[in-house]
Amino acid sequence: MSSLEQMYQQVIMDHAREAHGRGLADPGLIQVGESHQVNTTCGDEVTLRVGLDGDRVASLTWEGQGCSISQASVSVLHDLVEDHTLAEAEQAMDAFRDLMQAKGEGPDDDKEDLLGDATAFVGVGKYPARIKCAMLGWMAFKDALIQARKDES
């Protein structure tokens, strides 16, 4: 294993052990959405709650169980989108999805800067079964955003 792969593995393990945003909380906002997602292949699951303040992701909290990839991925998601605009969150989601579809090819410099710690998941794209683990929290976030915005006119 290369030193870069070891570093990426360490980033994932650190996020899995000290998960950011863990613990569902009431954001105390009008626009709140929640989604529960399960990876039926392996049993990983996550419940994610998002609170919006206008066009900003004011709060993202979650609770879940599963492999280190699924738990670390939602922790990284938290760091990338909380306190950011919806447009910035959408950019992060698109970049992460592209990373998962790149079959282990690293992102370009712009996407690497945008993804931050999420770049550590580059190797996951080589393993289709693990992509579902990494995407679990991101799919919950996407669904929770729909729920939070459903009353907008």
Side-chain angles (χ1 to χ4, degrees), residues 22-50:
R22 185 183 291 273
L24 287 175
D26 180 359
L29 299 165
I30 293 172
Q31 289 182 287
V32 177
E34 183 173 303
S35 178
H36 179 78
Q37 299 289 317
V38 177
N39 181 346
T40 56
T41 305
C42 63
D44 291 356
E45 59 184 281
V46 66
T47 301
L48 185 142
R49 187 175 296 150
V50 65

Side-chain angles (χ1 to χ4, degrees), residues 90-111:
E90 185 73 33
Q91 277 186 308
M93 285 191 295
D94 289 345
F96 191 75
R97 185 186 62 247
D98 291 348
L99 182 71
M100 292 296 98
Q101 294 173 348
K103 297 183 175 153
E105 294 295 320
D108 62 32
D109 289 343
D110 290 338
K111 282 189 180 175

Side-chain angles (χ1 to χ4, degrees), residues 45-61:
E45 59 184 281
V46 66
T47 301
L48 185 142
R49 187 175 296 150
V50 65
L52 303 179
D53 185 9
D55 73 339
R56 188 175 66 82
V57 178
S59 172
L60 185 149
T61 58

Side-chain angles (χ1 to χ4, degrees), residues 80-125:
L80 288 176
V81 303
E82 189 174 71
D83 291 327
H84 288 83
T85 67
L86 291 172
E88 291 167 334
E90 185 73 33
Q91 277 186 308
M93 285 191 295
D94 289 345
F96 191 75
R97 185 186 62 247
D98 291 348
L99 182 71
M100 292 296 98
Q101 294 173 348
K103 297 183 175 153
E105 294 295 320
D108 62 32
D109 289 343
D110 290 338
K111 282 189 180 175
E112 188 171 343
D113 289 343
L114 174 66
L115 288 169
D117 279 357
T119 303
F121 293 87
V122 66
V124 172

